[in-house]
Amino acid sequence: MTSDRPRRILVADDDPDLLELVCLQVERAGFEPIRARDGEEALRLVASERPAMCLLDVMMPRLTGIEVVERMRNDPGTEHIPVLLLTATVQEATVAEGVERGADGYLRKPFKAAELQERIRSLLGE
Amino acid sequence: MRTRRLQRRLLSEGRQRSILVAAGVAMLATIFVLRLIVVNTNEGITSLYVLPVAFIALQLGTLAGLVTATAAFALFTLWTIVQDVDVGPLGYVSRGAAFFPIALLVGYLGSRIKAEQSAARELAAIVESAADPIVSTDLGGTITSWNPAAAGIYGYRADEAVGRPLGLIVPPQRLDESERLLARIARGEQIEHLETQRVSRSGRHLDVSLTISAIRDAEGEVIGASEVARDISALKRAAAYRDAQHQATALLAEAPRLESVGARMLPLLAAADGWDLATWWTVTAQGALVCETGWSGSSPRPNPLGEDPLAPGLVAALSAARAPLWADSANPADEGDLPPPGFASALWIPALADRDPAGGFLFLSRSRRPRDDELIATLAGVASQLGQFIVRVRAQRESKRLKDEFFNMISHELRTPLTSIIGYTDLIAEIEAPRLSDQGRRFIEVIERNAKRQLRLVHDLLLLIRVEAGEFSIERQPLDLAAVVDQAVEEARRAAEQSGISVQLSLEDRPVIEGDPHRLEQLLDNLLNNAIKFSEADGIVRICLRRENGTALIEVADSGIGIPPQERERLFERLFRASAAKALAIPGTGLGLTIVKTVVDAHGGTIAVESEEGCGTTFKVSLPLAREAAMAALAQRQRTITGEDER
């Protein structure tokens, strides 16, 4: 960590319990979470808050995680922000589609706290 | 001189008389003798076969007599005329008698000439009224005659064609052939039923069957050729249409990709009737009709209409058409836009999917073609088949999409609560550990264990649904198998310890394979879970990973109750459960080994089982090792990760 203020990570999930769980894990890893309850809110917050990275649930109302990634990649202001998809689906095609449309990786739910922390650090180059 | 003539005359008179008497006597004698024989035979010894022989001999003899007499008269008379011999009244009688055969001869010749004349007229009438074009040429190939059928079919009047070269009706690429044929005729050959092509004045190619005969002069010398053409275009077309229809059906039966089916069908249809340009149009997702591809001659034309697309109004008209549209330069359609500039005939065949256009074929020809309803019906038939195919595939895709959506939703709904349960129990165990009593910690472990058991079941069921749907696939990546085994053992160890079973891991090698880590985890999870379930307290489960015979071998051995031989073969059947499992009420669904087998098969591996009742069971899973390239990729990835960690 170079600055005193913890780096911020956007977490988007429509399930409030899971949103809280992921945010807790993000905090425990030493980052500050930004909460979004659906895809639209996630996209809005990404644009206004410019987080260091995003953890996006795939199946969300309004905009899916994959659609959010796609729009982020089409916006010069957000195209460089790393995105990790969190998915509860086991369908390979969906996961592959997400990576194809610009996600940097995915993590299947349920995941272990250690696993999530390792992936965050790896994507942030820490 | 006078004396000689007189002498001759005198001599002649005597000779003449004797000749006449001799001829008459010979004739009468012959008749008499033959008659006698016949009468005798009839009255005497009856002989069945002598009778007809004698009769024939009689008739021949009579004829011979008559001929001889007539010839004698004729010769004599001629002689008297030539020599100017006067033989008196007898001479006149003989001259009169001689006229009879001469008149006969003249009459015969006259009738022959008349017959020939009428035969020629008859022949001319046949040629004139023949339905097939008959064209004759000299040996140089210049047209010398041209019947009305030729005028009708080739489009030139007789006066326009006669005197011109035969090349007038021969397609350029067939000119050589035409010359060779004429050479064969000149050698006296006859050519029958040769299939070739002729071209009409309007440029239309006709398939013809030719019969060519030599024309000879009075001496029998070949002076020309006469060709009768039978227009077999319709037959050829009908065969080509049947062929196209057959091929189109065969293509659809292959269940091609929806996106490629129109383009693949195009050459089949274009080839069936030699259009100059055939194009396939599709309706895009936005509802616009666009030209996707073209076909010309025998090759594809990716940009068939060049830079000059059809008039927008025409495209709109085509996209609205529900029935085939035929137009030519004399009868244009759609305000003169069809056929488009540069073409003389056009045919639009829409492909309807549930009455809505899904695309269509546009055929264009530079020369004007007569409207061909058979062709339209054939192409419309194929297009309708194509339309039905499109409807079917769309319905299948929609049903698959709905199934996928449902599957995703179920998968999401089943896993989300478990994710919360497992995640929060994890957090409690970690954060609240100091404040938990021993009992509290035990309760947390129970929750965690059962949540994981439930999660395993959900995973297994979801996997089986994919297998049942024929959609199970794995995502291969280079893997350090030891890491996957190590993690699975770590997971299993806690459950084992609660049952007082020890798990021993021996990693003899670190083989690299190309596999799906999640599926392999599921495989190991099932094998270990089984080994623990079927072991008795204080039992040992041994896991060993090593390289063997060019494969990565995972052995999972338990010291449990074993499997009777008769049940080993059925182990991998879905829902099969060992009798002991049922007897001992060991919990389970009977899905585990089916999952194991499915995952092993998907990786191209094998699984074997060894068991001894009362002593334990060993499962041996062999997985193919990774290729060199995959191993290098894994090494690279590991270096990258290590590098990042050090930074």
Side-chain angles (χ1 to χ4, degrees):
Chain A
M1 286 279 130
T2 45
S3 76
D4 292 343
R5 196 158 168 235
R7 298 176 79 177
R8 294 183 307 163
I9 295 178
L10 180 119
V11 182
D13 204 310
D14 60 318
D15 183 300
D17 296 337
L18 277 186
L19 178 64
E20 195 50 41
L21 177 69
V22 177
C23 288
L24 277 169
Q25 286 168 343
V26 164
E27 269 173 19
R28 289 173 51 76
F31 301 95
E32 183 187 325
I34 305 169
R35 292 168 170 78
R37 276 159 205 87
D38 59 55
E40 271 177 16
E41 192 181 4
L43 199 62
R44 207 168 49 242
L45 289 171
V46 165
S48 60
E49 305 295 319
R50 299 291 158 99
M53 76 170 290
C54 298
L55 301 173
L56 304 177
D57 179 32
V58 173
M59 275 184 133
M60 287 189 292
R62 284 189 271 280
L63 281 180
T64 69
I66 295 173
E67 285 165 333
V68 172
V69 178
E70 201 176 31
R71 293 191 192 197
M72 281 173 64
R73 294 299 176 245
N74 288 329
D75 177 352
T78 58
E79 62 176 353
H80 61 280
I81 300 177
V83 172
L84 189 66
L85 292 174
L86 305 181
T87 168
T89 182
V90 286
Q91 199 133 7
E92 290 80 12
T94 315
V95 172
E97 192 195 343
V99 174
E100 206 171 280
R101 299 227 215 149
D104 296 273
Y106 65 90
L107 202 55
R108 281 172 203 256
K109 296 177 188 175
F111 43 83
K112 290 193 192 62
E115 219 177 331
L116 179 66
Q117 286 182 16
E118 186 199 305
R119 295 298 291 274
I120 292 172
R121 288 187 198 287
S122 157
L123 279 175
L124 286 176
E126 289 186 355
Chain B
M1 192 68 184
R2 178 98 178 112
T3 321
R4 250 183 81 198
R5 274 188 76 179
L6 199 68
Q7 275 181 332
R8 273 196 181 169
R9 190 199 298 171
L10 286 171
L11 273 173
S12 314
E13 272 177 52
R15 210 181 274 172
Q16 178 238 336
R17 274 193 202 98
S18 47
I19 290 168
L20 279 176
V21 169
V25 168
M27 192 169 79
L28 289 171
T30 314
I31 294 171
F32 177 75
V33 169
L34 289 170
R35 290 276 169 207
L36 205 66
I37 292 169
V38 173
V39 169
N40 274 354
T41 316
N42 261 345
E43 292 175 352
I45 313 142
T46 309
S47 168
L48 283 171
Y49 53 88
V50 168
L51 187 63
V53 168
F55 180 75
I56 291 166
L58 172 68
Q59 301 305 325
L60 285 175
T62 309
L63 190 66
L66 278 169
V67 168
T68 317
T70 310
F73 273 123
L75 284 171
F76 172 68
T77 309
L78 276 174
W79 181 72
T80 59
I81 292 166
V82 169
Q83 295 293 322
D84 192 21
V85 174
D86 182 5
V87 286
L90 194 63
Y92 293 107
V93 171
S94 71
R95 278 185 199 179
F99 262 113
F100 179 63
I102 292 167
L104 269 178
L105 189 66
V106 169
Y108 169 73
L109 290 175
S111 71
R112 276 293 303 272
I113 291 166
K114 254 175 107 175
E116 269 180 27
Q117 278 177 345
S118 85
R121 269 203 306 279
E122 209 172 293
L123 191 62
I126 291 171
V127 169
E128 285 296 297
S129 63
D132 291 335
I134 302 172
V135 173
S136 36
T137 65
D138 60 20
L139 286 180
T142 302
I143 296 168
T144 52
S145 86
W146 187 264
N147 76 342
I153 288 178
Y154 298 134
Y156 302 94
R157 287 194 316 272
D159 62 296
E160 291 172 313
V162 172
R164 305 268 300 271
L166 187 65
L168 187 67
I169 53 166
V170 178
Q173 70 272 21
R174 298 273 185 175
L175 282 172
D176 283 354
E177 178 196 68
S178 182
E179 267 176 34
R180 279 198 306 276
L181 292 177
L182 207 53
R184 281 172 61 189
I185 292 294
R187 288 199 301 272
E189 289 180 39
Q190 161 92 6
I191 290 155
E192 279 174 358
H193 308 306
L194 176 93
E195 288 195 6
T196 181
Q197 280 190 323
R198 289 289 178 258
V199 63
S200 75
R201 184 176 212 157
S202 66
R204 196 158 77 94
H205 280 61
L206 305 162
D207 287 299
V208 293
S209 168
L210 279 189
T211 295
I212 313 178
S213 320
I215 301 173
R216 294 169 192 273
D217 63 8
E219 280 77 42
E221 282 292 306
V222 177
I223 53 163
S226 164
E227 65 164 61
V228 183
R230 161 64 46 97
D231 184 356
I232 53 167
S233 305
L235 280 174
K236 280 260 192 190
R237 267 206 308 278
Y241 295 170
R242 273 199 308 279
D243 202 36
Q245 193 143 35
H246 175 73
Q247 288 194 47
T249 309
L251 171 64
L252 293 180
E254 274 175 33
R257 276 184 51 245
L258 192 56
E259 288 69 23
S260 70
V261 66
R264 283 181 63 187
M265 200 171 269
L266 191 59
L268 306 181
L269 303 183
D273 201 28
W275 292 85
D276 289 316
L277 182 60
T279 55
W280 162 244
W281 296 64
T282 43
V283 176
T284 62
Q286 289 74 38
L289 185 66
V290 293
C291 183
E292 195 174 273
T293 181
W295 190 267
S296 172
S298 58
S299 51
R301 286 266 294 270
N303 186 17
L305 292 165
E307 298 304 310
D308 228 4
L310 299 187
L314 175 58
V315 176
L318 294 183
S319 66
R322 298 287 191 277
L325 214 58
W326 179 284
D328 56 47
S329 41
N331 310 287
D334 197 51
E335 295 164 6
D337 283 339
L338 196 68
F343 296 97
S345 288
L347 172 60
W348 169 254
I349 302 279
L352 302 179
D354 265 347
R355 287 196 295 281
D356 289 324
F361 298 98
L362 179 64
F363 299 95
L364 298 166
S365 171
R366 287 191 185 84
S367 59
R368 231 189 98 200
R369 309 166 57 114
R371 185 186 165 95
D372 181 346
D373 287 316
E374 199 190 339
L375 169 70
I376 298 175
T378 306
L379 294 178
V382 172
S384 135
Q385 258 183 308
L386 176 60
Q388 284 162 17
F389 173 77
I390 293 172
V391 170
R392 207 165 57 237
V393 173
R394 282 186 182 165
Q396 280 167 359
R397 286 192 178 178
E398 177 60 10
S399 131
K400 182 174 179 330
R401 192 187 63 77
L402 287 175
K403 247 170 42 193
D404 281 355
E405 217 168 68
F406 179 73
F407 182 79
N408 267 339
M409 189 267 286
I410 286 288
S411 163
H412 186 264
E413 290 303 304
L414 287 172
R415 286 150 65 104
T416 301
L418 286 171
T419 306
S420 271
I421 295 169
I422 294 169
Y424 281 104
T425 39
D426 246 10
L427 277 176
I428 295 172
E430 210 183 309
I431 304 170
E432 305 292 330
R435 271 164 286 182
L436 281 177
S437 63
D438 283 352
Q439 199 178 33
R441 261 194 294 279
R442 241 190 5 262
F443 292 169
I444 294 291
E445 274 171 15
V446 171
I447 297 172
E448 199 179 12
R449 200 171 61 239
N450 282 286
K452 284 191 174 155
R453 187 169 142 196
Q454 176 103 48
L455 185 65
R456 183 186 305 124
L457 184 63
V458 167
H459 280 181
D460 287 357
L461 280 172
L462 291 174
L463 187 150
L464 280 176
I465 292 171
R466 306 305 305 279
V467 173
E468 291 282 295
E471 288 170 357
F472 176 69
S473 61
I474 57 167
E475 237 181 302
R476 284 171 188 274
Q477 62 184 69
L479 276 184
D480 173 10
L481 193 55
V484 180
V485 172
D486 196 25
Q487 200 186 337
V489 168
E490 238 4 85
E491 291 284 322
R493 197 162 261 153
R494 271 193 272 174
E497 278 163 3
Q498 275 156 358
S499 316
I501 295 163
S502 68
V503 180
Q504 297 177 355
L505 172 64
S506 123
L507 296 173
E508 293 177 16
D509 268 316
R510 293 193 80 90
V512 175
I513 65 157
E514 281 171 83
D516 183 326
H518 295 285
R519 296 309 185 191
L520 289 170
E521 224 171 84
Q522 219 170 334
L523 176 157
L524 290 165
D525 191 37
N526 271 299
L527 278 182
L528 290 169
N529 189 46
N530 267 350
I532 293 162
K533 268 197 312 199
F534 289 96
S535 290
E536 282 151 21
D538 303 324
I540 302 168
V541 172
R542 289 190 183 84
I543 301 104
C544 175
L545 171 66
R546 63 172 183 274
R547 257 182 257 249
E548 197 176 282
N549 301 328
T551 64
L553 179 70
I554 306 167
E555 279 184 358
V556 178
D558 64 50
S559 54
I561 50 178
I563 305 162
Q566 66 272 21
E567 290 189 1
R568 276 175 221 161
E569 282 175 19
R570 298 193 54 206
L571 274 183
F572 300 104
E573 280 175 28
R574 193 156 59 98
L575 303 180
F576 174 80
R577 298 206 66 215
S579 52
K582 285 185 271 190
L584 297 172
I586 294 172
T589 53
L591 295 178
L593 285 176
T594 308
I595 305 279
V596 169
K597 179 88 166 75
T598 305
V599 175
V600 168
D601 287 347
H603 282 83
T606 56
I607 182 161
V609 58
E610 291 167 8
S611 184
E612 205 174 319
E613 278 180 271
C615 294
T617 306
T618 304
F619 284 94
K620 293 184 170 183
V621 173
S622 295
L623 301 171
L625 291 172
R627 295 157 301 167
E628 291 288 327
M631 288 166 75
L634 178 68
Q636 174 64 35
R637 204 174 62 199
Q638 279 168 339
R639 267 198 303 278
T640 314
I641 291 169
T642 321
E644 276 178 1
D645 283 347
E646 282 167 358
R647 199 144 29 111

